[in-house]
Amino acid sequence: MFKKISEGDVFATKADCATSGPRAAVLPDGRVICTFMINSFSGANDFVPMAAVAEEGLSFGEAHKIWPELEGKWSLFGSVRRGGDGKYSFSGQVFPISHKGEAFWSDEAMGMKENMVFHSISDGGEAFPLPEMTELPYYASAEQPGGLLTDADGTMTMIYSPYPTIEKREAVDNGCIVMLRKKAGEETFSSKKFGSVDGDSQYAESWIVRMSDGRLMVSTWQTASEDSTRYFISDDDGESFKGPFTQPFRGQSTGACACDDGSVLIAYNQRKYGEIGVWLALEKYGKDGEYELLENEPVWIAETATKTGDSTDFGQWTDFSFGEPGVTVLPDGTILVVLWYKSGDTNGVRYVHLRRE
């Protein structure tokens, strides 16, 4: 089981804004950095990436803007990750801003404004150079919450879920996941699709991690299915993926972290089944979709699932009162879960510090 050591805020404000996408990484000296976004309202196309560093223990200092010079020009939603090469990436999806107050999301289209993906690489993890933006290889908008996987040899891999666009200039193949990969020395990303399914389908919150045995694991949320939480396994370094396999739990959104013993931690939101809040699962995976569920329990309990009490279905995501958990293993083997929340007039990012017993 997971035992809570401590809990607190990374960031909290009573300003009229929304928070989203918190992720954490351990810096070279053992301190923890947490990145997240603020925007003017849930669904607003004005994401501003933020970062806060815990200078002592998990006492986070004042948050600062990662790229203040891009505010109002580009809307960037990204995730920090420490790579196998010891460097740090901040990567995700980026939208142009046409006018103040616009939304990046459309309920009518069930999709997003046309966008690109981006990445930035940092040696120390506290300051990031201006991002490199990459056009999508297939017509769509990209939902890319899980950041960049960087291997020890410098190979960069990211995945995204293709979404319908607000502009609707072309048909979109949104029943798949797209993988982009660039090896050290290469100038451009190669691309491929995997996980293609027919019918009503939409992947979301897709993460890719490299397990300690070298295999790749993708965790994703299939929004059109009651058995929503899925995963894929690749035994051949992404040449092919087995799956999708159904997880032994059902939830919304997933954040994944590989552990040194071959297991994988998955933080996810629970709004329908069991206690409402953020849950944490620990699993090991076999070769053909077999799994061993080692732990699965709530680690943070929410006051309410939504702000208004209406539906918790995917189409009502702008009404959710918490979400997008990320999970990180700290140097001492303890576990850090971060999430955003809305409580009363407070918008914030919360952390929960855990150990496994």
Side-chain angles (χ1 to χ4, degrees):
M1 62 179 295
F2 300 112
K3 182 176 178 60
K4 185 188 298 183
I5 301 171
S6 65
E7 181 179 342
D9 279 327
V10 174
F11 172 82
T13 180
K14 295 187 182 298
D16 189 13
C17 67
T19 53
S20 59
R23 322 293 186 208
V26 179
L27 295 173
D29 60 6
R31 292 177 301 153
V32 175
I33 184 171
C34 181
T35 63
F36 58 95
M37 274 58 62
I38 58 172
N39 57 338
S40 55
F41 59 88
S42 186
N45 188 38
D46 54 10
F47 287 116
V48 177
M50 307 285 291
V53 175
E55 296 293 343
E56 183 177 346
L58 290 174
S59 179
F60 285 87
E62 184 175 356
H64 63 274
K65 297 173 183 177
I66 296 177
W67 296 303
E69 62 269 49
L70 299 184
E71 185 176 1
K73 301 174 183 178
W74 293 96
S75 175
L76 300 106
F77 183 108
S79 299
V80 68
R81 290 181 68 162
R82 184 174 184 173
D85 58 358
K87 296 182 179 181
Y88 295 80
S89 62
F90 189 79
S91 176
Q93 62 206 43
V94 53
F95 303 86
I97 298 175
S98 301
H99 60 270
K100 186 176 181 179
E102 70 176 349
F104 74 87
W105 175 262
S106 165
D107 286 336
E108 185 273 330
M110 286 300 288
M112 298 183 286
K113 182 174 180 174
E114 292 176 5
N115 64 0
M116 296 180 285
V117 293
F118 76 90
H119 72 278
S120 174
I121 304 296
S122 165
D123 288 332
E126 290 189 75
F128 288 88
L130 288 174
E132 178 179 330
M133 301 181 189
T134 301
E135 296 280 354
L136 305 185
Y138 315 103
Y139 182 76
S141 57
E143 196 250 16
Q144 208 283 55
L148 189 69
L149 170 67
T150 307
D151 290 316
D153 65 357
T155 298
M156 296 189 296
T157 305
M158 71 170 75
I159 59 174
Y160 70 85
S161 302
Y163 271 53
T165 68
I166 293 174
E167 295 82 356
K168 297 182 178 180
R169 293 189 296 112
E170 298 179 27
V172 173
D173 177 11
N174 58 297
C176 65
I177 297 173
V178 176
M179 183 176 78
L180 302 179
R181 175 167 281 181
K182 181 165 67 172
K183 295 183 178 180
E186 294 181 341
E187 295 186 359
T188 60
F189 284 94
S190 62
S191 63
K192 67 186 304 179
K193 298 178 181 179
F194 69 93
S196 295
V197 293
D198 296 325
D200 186 15
S201 174
Q202 183 67 71
Y203 292 106
E205 294 288 325
S206 300
W207 289 66
I208 186 167
V209 297
R210 187 173 295 279
M211 296 188 292
S212 62
D213 64 5
R215 292 182 298 160
L216 293 173
M217 179 267 186
V218 170
S219 174
T220 188
W221 171 30
Q222 177 54 260
T223 66
S225 171
E226 276 298 306
D227 295 322
S228 58
T229 312
R230 306 291 181 90
Y231 67 97
F232 296 84
I233 298 291
S234 175
D235 300 320
D236 53 12
D237 195 33
E239 290 298 318
S240 62
F241 286 87
K242 298 176 181 178
F245 304 112
T246 301
Q247 290 282 19
F249 49 84
R250 293 187 288 181
Q252 296 175 333
S253 180
T254 63
C257 176
C259 303
D260 290 341
D261 65 354
S263 62
V264 176
L265 286 160
I266 301 177
Y268 65 97
N269 301 318
Q270 187 54 265
R271 297 189 177 94
K272 293 184 177 182
Y273 311 105
E275 290 191 82
I276 303 302
V278 171
W279 286 54
L280 186 61
L282 180 67
E283 290 185 283
K284 286 190 175 181
Y285 301 100
K287 291 185 177 181
D288 297 306
E290 309 96 338
Y291 60 82
E292 181 183 2
L293 183 61
L294 304 174
E295 306 285 355
N296 183 38
E297 58 192 77
V299 295
W300 180 84
I301 304 302
E303 296 175 0
T304 60
T306 63
K307 300 170 199 171
T308 67
D310 292 339
S311 170
T312 59
D313 290 338
F314 169 66
Q316 303 300 312
W317 67 268
T318 56
D319 191 41
F320 293 165
S321 61
F322 68 92
E324 293 175 312
V327 57
T328 306
V329 177
L330 302 183
D332 63 359
T334 60
I335 300 163
L336 186 68
V337 173
V338 292
L339 61 124
W340 68 261
Y341 73 94
K342 168 76 172 176
S343 178
D345 60 355
T346 299
N347 296 287
V349 173
R350 196 77 172 160
Y351 77 81
V352 184
H353 188 200
L354 307 157
R355 66 171 176 263
R356 187 181 177 212
E357 294 189 335

